[in-house]
mmCIF file of all heavy atoms in Angstrom:
data_model
loop_
_atom_site.group_PDB
_atom_site.id
_atom_site.type_symbol
_atom_site.label_atom_id
_atom_site.label_comp_id
_atom_site.label_asym_id
_atom_site.label_seq_id
_atom_site.Cartn_x
_atom_site.Cartn_y
_atom_site.Cartn_z
ATOM 1 N N PRO J 162 100.547 130.193 90.073
ATOM 2 C CA PRO J 162 100.054 130.818 88.840
ATOM 3 C C PRO J 162 98.976 129.958 88.185
ATOM 4 O O PRO J 162 99.029 128.728 88.248
ATOM 5 C CB PRO J 162 101.305 130.902 87.955
ATOM 6 C CG PRO J 162 102.463 130.775 88.883
ATOM 7 C CD PRO J 162 101.993 129.909 90.002
ATOM 8 N N LEU J 163 98.019 130.609 87.574
ATOM 9 C CA LEU J 163 96.935 129.916 86.880
ATOM 10 C C LEU J 163 97.415 129.396 85.522
ATOM 11 O O LEU J 163 97.864 130.183 84.684
ATOM 12 C CB LEU J 163 95.755 130.870 86.687
ATOM 13 C CG LEU J 163 94.578 130.368 85.845
ATOM 14 C CD1 LEU J 163 93.940 129.142 86.484
ATOM 15 C CD2 LEU J 163 93.552 131.479 85.646
ATOM 16 N N GLU J 164 97.340 128.091 85.326
ATOM 17 C CA GLU J 164 97.656 127.489 84.025
ATOM 18 C C GLU J 164 96.345 127.392 83.236
ATOM 19 O O GLU J 164 95.560 126.458 83.417
ATOM 20 C CB GLU J 164 98.320 126.126 84.201
ATOM 21 C CG GLU J 164 99.721 126.249 84.784
ATOM 22 C CD GLU J 164 100.445 124.926 84.870
ATOM 23 O OE1 GLU J 164 99.918 124.010 85.541
ATOM 24 O OE2 GLU J 164 101.539 124.797 84.294
ATOM 25 N N ARG J 165 96.122 128.346 82.379
ATOM 26 C CA ARG J 165 94.849 128.481 81.673
ATOM 27 C C ARG J 165 94.632 127.352 80.668
ATOM 28 O O ARG J 165 95.580 126.883 80.027
ATOM 29 C CB ARG J 165 94.792 129.843 80.982
ATOM 30 C CG ARG J 165 94.746 131.004 81.967
ATOM 31 C CD ARG J 165 95.161 132.325 81.348
ATOM 32 N NE ARG J 165 95.028 133.427 82.293
ATOM 33 C CZ ARG J 165 95.925 133.715 83.251
ATOM 34 N NH1 ARG J 165 97.024 132.963 83.368
ATOM 35 N NH2 ARG J 165 95.719 134.736 84.066
ATOM 36 N N THR J 166 93.380 126.956 80.510
ATOM 37 C CA THR J 166 93.068 125.883 79.563
ATOM 38 C C THR J 166 93.388 126.292 78.131
ATOM 39 O O THR J 166 93.622 125.423 77.280
ATOM 40 C CB THR J 166 91.590 125.469 79.666
ATOM 41 O OG1 THR J 166 90.761 126.607 79.410
ATOM 42 C CG2 THR J 166 91.263 124.924 81.043
ATOM 43 N N SER J 167 93.435 127.588 77.863
ATOM 44 C CA SER J 167 93.802 128.058 76.520
ATOM 45 C C SER J 167 95.259 127.754 76.212
ATOM 46 O O SER J 167 95.659 127.687 75.043
ATOM 47 C CB SER J 167 93.560 129.569 76.403
ATOM 48 O OG SER J 167 94.298 130.281 77.387
ATOM 49 N N VAL J 168 96.066 127.558 77.248
ATOM 50 C CA VAL J 168 97.491 127.241 77.093
ATOM 51 C C VAL J 168 97.734 125.739 77.186
ATOM 52 O O VAL J 168 98.474 125.163 76.377
ATOM 53 C CB VAL J 168 98.333 127.988 78.150
ATOM 54 C CG1 VAL J 168 99.804 127.576 78.072
ATOM 55 C CG2 VAL J 168 98.190 129.497 77.986
ATOM 56 N N THR J 169 97.104 125.083 78.170
ATOM 57 C CA THR J 169 97.358 123.653 78.388
ATOM 58 C C THR J 169 96.641 122.758 77.378
ATOM 59 O O THR J 169 97.062 121.627 77.141
ATOM 60 C CB THR J 169 96.908 123.226 79.792
ATOM 61 O OG1 THR J 169 95.479 123.368 79.909
ATOM 62 C CG2 THR J 169 97.591 124.066 80.871
ATOM 63 N N GLY J 170 95.526 123.246 76.817
ATOM 64 C CA GLY J 170 94.734 122.420 75.921
ATOM 65 C C GLY J 170 93.817 121.450 76.641
ATOM 66 O O GLY J 170 93.082 120.692 76.002
ATOM 67 N N LEU J 171 93.835 121.464 77.972
ATOM 68 C CA LEU J 171 92.964 120.598 78.764
ATOM 69 C C LEU J 171 91.600 121.266 78.914
ATOM 70 O O LEU J 171 91.495 122.489 78.874
ATOM 71 C CB LEU J 171 93.586 120.335 80.132
ATOM 72 C CG LEU J 171 95.005 119.750 80.104
ATOM 73 C CD1 LEU J 171 95.580 119.677 81.513
ATOM 74 C CD2 LEU J 171 95.007 118.366 79.457
ATOM 75 N N ARG J 172 90.557 120.479 79.096
ATOM 76 C CA ARG J 172 89.207 121.013 79.158
ATOM 77 C C ARG J 172 88.422 120.424 80.325
ATOM 78 O O ARG J 172 88.762 119.358 80.838
ATOM 79 C CB ARG J 172 88.461 120.704 77.842
ATOM 80 C CG ARG J 172 89.062 121.373 76.621
ATOM 81 C CD ARG J 172 88.867 122.880 76.630
ATOM 82 N NE ARG J 172 89.416 123.530 75.447
ATOM 83 C CZ ARG J 172 90.631 124.059 75.376
ATOM 84 N NH1 ARG J 172 91.447 124.005 76.438
ATOM 85 N NH2 ARG J 172 91.055 124.639 74.265
ATOM 86 N N HIS J 173 87.369 121.126 80.710
ATOM 87 C CA HIS J 173 86.519 120.688 81.809
ATOM 88 C C HIS J 173 85.479 119.675 81.314
ATOM 89 O O HIS J 173 84.281 119.922 81.289
ATOM 90 C CB HIS J 173 85.862 121.890 82.481
ATOM 91 C CG HIS J 173 86.807 122.665 83.339
ATOM 92 N ND1 HIS J 173 87.603 123.675 82.836
ATOM 93 C CD2 HIS J 173 87.106 122.547 84.655
ATOM 94 C CE1 HIS J 173 88.344 124.165 83.823
ATOM 95 N NE2 HIS J 173 88.055 123.503 84.928
ATOM 96 N N ARG J 174 85.999 118.521 80.922
ATOM 97 C CA ARG J 174 85.153 117.406 80.523
ATOM 98 C C ARG J 174 84.804 116.582 81.765
ATOM 99 O O ARG J 174 85.385 116.770 82.825
ATOM 100 C CB ARG J 174 85.872 116.546 79.493
ATOM 101 C CG ARG J 174 86.255 117.310 78.220
ATOM 102 C CD ARG J 174 86.867 116.382 77.169
ATOM 103 N NE ARG J 174 87.118 117.074 75.918
ATOM 104 C CZ ARG J 174 88.288 117.588 75.565
ATOM 105 N NH1 ARG J 174 89.341 117.487 76.372
ATOM 106 N NH2 ARG J 174 88.427 118.201 74.403
ATOM 107 N N ALA J 175 83.875 115.665 81.630
ATOM 108 C CA ALA J 175 83.538 114.785 82.745
ATOM 109 C C ALA J 175 84.788 114.046 83.212
ATOM 110 O O ALA J 175 85.521 113.477 82.397
ATOM 111 C CB ALA J 175 82.457 113.790 82.326
ATOM 112 N N GLY J 176 85.043 114.080 84.509
ATOM 113 C CA GLY J 176 86.209 113.428 85.079
ATOM 114 C C GLY J 176 87.422 114.326 85.246
ATOM 115 O O GLY J 176 88.421 113.907 85.846
ATOM 116 N N ALA J 177 87.373 115.556 84.748
ATOM 117 C CA ALA J 177 88.514 116.459 84.868
ATOM 118 C C ALA J 177 88.754 116.856 86.325
ATOM 119 O O ALA J 177 87.808 117.055 87.088
ATOM 120 C CB ALA J 177 88.307 117.708 84.025
ATOM 121 N N LEU J 178 90.028 116.967 86.707
ATOM 122 C CA LEU J 178 90.413 117.532 87.992
ATOM 123 C C LEU J 178 90.730 119.009 87.768
ATOM 124 O O LEU J 178 91.472 119.350 86.840
ATOM 125 C CB LEU J 178 91.646 116.822 88.566
ATOM 126 C CG LEU J 178 91.402 115.540 89.371
ATOM 127 C CD1 LEU J 178 90.695 114.484 88.536
ATOM 128 C CD2 LEU J 178 92.721 114.993 89.905
ATOM 129 N N SER J 179 90.178 119.878 88.583
ATOM 130 C CA SER J 179 90.251 121.315 88.345
ATOM 131 C C SER J 179 90.512 122.048 89.652
ATOM 132 O O SER J 179 89.827 121.821 90.651
ATOM 133 C CB SER J 179 88.922 121.801 87.736
ATOM 134 O OG SER J 179 88.887 123.204 87.612
ATOM 135 N N MET J 180 91.501 122.940 89.656
ATOM 136 C CA MET J 180 91.849 123.676 90.866
ATOM 137 C C MET J 180 90.784 124.712 91.211
ATOM 138 O O MET J 180 90.332 125.475 90.359
ATOM 139 C CB MET J 180 93.191 124.393 90.707
ATOM 140 C CG MET J 180 94.387 123.484 90.682
ATOM 141 S SD MET J 180 94.581 122.431 92.143
ATOM 142 C CE MET J 180 94.721 123.634 93.464
ATOM 143 N N ALA J 181 90.403 124.740 92.489
ATOM 144 C CA ALA J 181 89.518 125.795 92.982
ATOM 145 C C ALA J 181 90.342 127.068 93.165
ATOM 146 O O ALA J 181 91.540 127.017 93.443
ATOM 147 C CB ALA J 181 88.894 125.371 94.311
ATOM 148 N N ARG J 182 89.685 128.204 92.993
ATOM 149 C CA ARG J 182 90.384 129.476 93.198
ATOM 150 C C ARG J 182 89.372 130.592 93.337
ATOM 151 O O ARG J 182 88.210 130.462 92.935
ATOM 152 C CB ARG J 182 91.361 129.749 92.053
ATOM 153 C CG ARG J 182 90.777 129.699 90.626
ATOM 154 C CD ARG J 182 90.396 131.047 90.152
ATOM 155 N NE ARG J 182 90.094 131.156 88.727
ATOM 156 C CZ ARG J 182 89.670 132.286 88.168
ATOM 157 N NH1 ARG J 182 89.509 133.369 88.899
ATOM 158 N NH2 ARG J 182 89.385 132.340 86.879
ATOM 159 N N TRP J 183 89.802 131.706 93.911
ATOM 160 C CA TRP J 183 88.967 132.899 94.007
ATOM 161 C C TRP J 183 89.218 133.805 92.813
ATOM 162 O O TRP J 183 88.320 134.177 92.093
ATOM 163 C CB TRP J 183 89.225 133.627 95.329
ATOM 164 C CG TRP J 183 88.800 132.832 96.515
ATOM 165 C CD1 TRP J 183 89.606 132.203 97.419
ATOM 166 C CD2 TRP J 183 87.463 132.551 96.945
ATOM 167 N NE1 TRP J 183 88.867 131.541 98.383
ATOM 168 C CE2 TRP J 183 87.540 131.754 98.104
ATOM 169 C CE3 TRP J 183 86.203 132.889 96.455
ATOM 170 C CZ2 TRP J 183 86.399 131.303 98.783
ATOM 171 C CZ3 TRP J 183 85.077 132.446 97.127
ATOM 172 C CH2 TRP J 183 85.178 131.664 98.273
ATOM 173 N N GLY J 184 90.474 134.190 92.609
ATOM 174 C CA GLY J 184 90.858 134.991 91.460
ATOM 175 C C GLY J 184 92.012 134.314 90.758
ATOM 176 O O GLY J 184 92.524 133.280 91.216
ATOM 177 N N PRO J 185 92.463 134.845 89.624
ATOM 178 C CA PRO J 185 93.628 134.269 88.956
ATOM 179 C C PRO J 185 94.836 134.248 89.901
ATOM 180 O O PRO J 185 95.027 135.161 90.703
ATOM 181 C CB PRO J 185 93.864 135.219 87.778
ATOM 182 C CG PRO J 185 92.529 135.847 87.530
ATOM 183 C CD PRO J 185 91.896 135.984 88.885
ATOM 184 N N ASP J 186 95.606 133.184 89.839
ATOM 185 C CA ASP J 186 96.841 133.057 90.618
ATOM 186 C C ASP J 186 96.589 132.999 92.127
ATOM 187 O O ASP J 186 97.406 133.477 92.927
ATOM 188 C CB ASP J 186 97.809 134.213 90.300
ATOM 189 C CG ASP J 186 98.076 134.372 88.819
ATOM 190 O OD1 ASP J 186 98.039 133.359 88.089
ATOM 191 O OD2 ASP J 186 98.306 135.511 88.379
ATOM 192 N N THR J 187 95.478 132.391 92.544
ATOM 193 C CA THR J 187 95.187 132.272 93.976
ATOM 194 C C THR J 187 94.995 130.827 94.430
ATOM 195 O O THR J 187 94.773 130.591 95.618
ATOM 196 C CB THR J 187 93.908 133.053 94.345
ATOM 197 O OG1 THR J 187 92.790 132.495 93.638
ATOM 198 C CG2 THR J 187 94.041 134.540 94.017
ATOM 199 N N ALA J 188 95.065 129.844 93.526
ATOM 200 C CA ALA J 188 94.801 128.447 93.905
ATOM 201 C C ALA J 188 95.864 127.938 94.872
ATOM 202 O O ALA J 188 97.051 128.261 94.756
ATOM 203 C CB ALA J 188 94.770 127.565 92.661
ATOM 204 N N THR J 189 95.419 127.124 95.829
ATOM 205 C CA THR J 189 96.351 126.531 96.800
ATOM 206 C C THR J 189 96.171 125.004 96.846
ATOM 207 O O THR J 189 96.819 124.290 96.097
ATOM 208 C CB THR J 189 96.166 127.153 98.193
ATOM 209 O OG1 THR J 189 94.782 127.043 98.598
ATOM 210 C CG2 THR J 189 96.585 128.619 98.195
ATOM 211 N N SER J 190 95.263 124.506 97.683
ATOM 212 C CA SER J 190 95.150 123.048 97.870
ATOM 213 C C SER J 190 93.816 122.454 97.430
ATOM 214 O O SER J 190 93.755 121.279 97.079
ATOM 215 C CB SER J 190 95.368 122.697 99.349
ATOM 216 O OG SER J 190 94.403 123.343 100.172
ATOM 217 N N SER J 191 92.741 123.224 97.442
ATOM 218 C CA SER J 191 91.425 122.671 97.151
ATOM 219 C C SER J 191 91.238 122.467 95.648
ATOM 220 O O SER J 191 91.667 123.295 94.845
ATOM 221 C CB SER J 191 90.329 123.597 97.688
ATOM 222 O OG SER J 191 89.043 123.042 97.500
ATOM 223 N N PHE J 192 90.577 121.362 95.294
ATOM 224 C CA PHE J 192 90.289 121.123 93.879
ATOM 225 C C PHE J 192 88.967 120.392 93.720
ATOM 226 O O PHE J 192 88.402 119.864 94.684
ATOM 227 C CB PHE J 192 91.427 120.376 93.184
ATOM 228 C CG PHE J 192 91.664 118.954 93.636
ATOM 229 C CD1 PHE J 192 91.025 117.885 93.025
ATOM 230 C CD2 PHE J 192 92.569 118.685 94.660
ATOM 231 C CE1 PHE J 192 91.267 116.570 93.413
ATOM 232 C CE2 PHE J 192 92.810 117.374 95.065
ATOM 233 C CZ PHE J 192 92.162 116.316 94.440
ATOM 234 N N SER J 193 88.462 120.394 92.496
ATOM 235 C CA SER J 193 87.180 119.780 92.171
ATOM 236 C C SER J 193 87.369 118.660 91.164
ATOM 237 O O SER J 193 88.360 118.614 90.431
ATOM 238 C CB SER J 193 86.221 120.828 91.581
ATOM 239 O OG SER J 193 85.954 121.854 92.513
ATOM 240 N N ILE J 194 86.381 117.766 91.124
ATOM 241 C CA ILE J 194 86.268 116.774 90.067
ATOM 242 C C ILE J 194 84.981 117.089 89.301
ATOM 243 O O ILE J 194 83.912 117.214 89.897
ATOM 244 C CB ILE J 194 86.225 115.335 90.603
ATOM 245 C CG1 ILE J 194 87.505 115.017 91.389
ATOM 246 C CG2 ILE J 194 86.044 114.337 89.453
ATOM 247 C CD1 ILE J 194 87.521 113.618 92.006
ATOM 248 N N VAL J 195 85.105 117.234 87.994
ATOM 249 C CA VAL J 195 83.962 117.577 87.144
ATOM 250 C C VAL J 195 83.134 116.313 86.896
ATOM 251 O O VAL J 195 83.675 115.277 86.499
ATOM 252 C CB VAL J 195 84.450 118.184 85.813
ATOM 253 C CG1 VAL J 195 83.269 118.486 84.901
ATOM 254 C CG2 VAL J 195 85.261 119.451 86.078
ATOM 255 N N VAL J 196 81.826 116.410 87.123
ATOM 256 C CA VAL J 196 80.941 115.260 86.991
ATOM 257 C C VAL J 196 80.318 115.201 85.597
ATOM 258 O O VAL J 196 80.188 114.123 85.010
ATOM 259 C CB VAL J 196 79.840 115.296 88.071
ATOM 260 C CG1 VAL J 196 78.964 114.045 87.991
ATOM 261 C CG2 VAL J 196 80.462 115.413 89.460
ATOM 262 N N LYS J 197 79.939 116.339 85.065
ATOM 263 C CA LYS J 197 79.400 116.445 83.706
ATOM 264 C C LYS J 197 80.165 117.551 82.988
ATOM 265 O O LYS J 197 80.689 118.468 83.634
ATOM 266 C CB LYS J 197 77.909 116.790 83.742
ATOM 267 C CG LYS J 197 77.050 115.774 84.459
ATOM 268 C CD LYS J 197 75.593 116.239 84.499
ATOM 269 C CE LYS J 197 74.714 115.268 85.274
ATOM 270 N NZ LYS J 197 73.309 115.743 85.364
ATOM 271 N N PRO J 198 80.273 117.500 81.663
ATOM 272 C CA PRO J 198 81.018 118.549 80.946
ATOM 273 C C PRO J 198 80.568 119.942 81.394
ATOM 274 O O PRO J 198 79.372 120.239 81.445
ATOM 275 C CB PRO J 198 80.660 118.288 79.483
ATOM 276 C CG PRO J 198 80.360 116.811 79.435
ATOM 277 C CD PRO J 198 79.679 116.503 80.742
ATOM 278 N N SER J 199 81.546 120.776 81.744
ATOM 279 C CA SER J 199 81.271 122.119 82.257
ATOM 280 C C SER J 199 82.158 123.135 81.546
ATOM 281 O O SER J 199 83.092 123.695 82.140
ATOM 282 C CB SER J 199 81.486 122.160 83.774
ATOM 283 O OG SER J 199 80.606 121.277 84.450
#
Side-chain angles (χ1 to χ4, degrees):
L163 174 62
E164 291 184 302
R165 293 160 176 80
T166 58
S167 58
V168 175
T169 65
L171 305 174
R172 296 291 181 266
H173 285 87
R174 300 185 175 97
L178 275 59
S179 174
M180 289 302 300
R182 54 95 168 176
W183 294 107
D186 307 330
T187 62
T189 54
S190 60
S191 184
F192 67 90
S193 298
I194 300 178
V195 177
V196 184
K197 300 177 183 178
S199 298

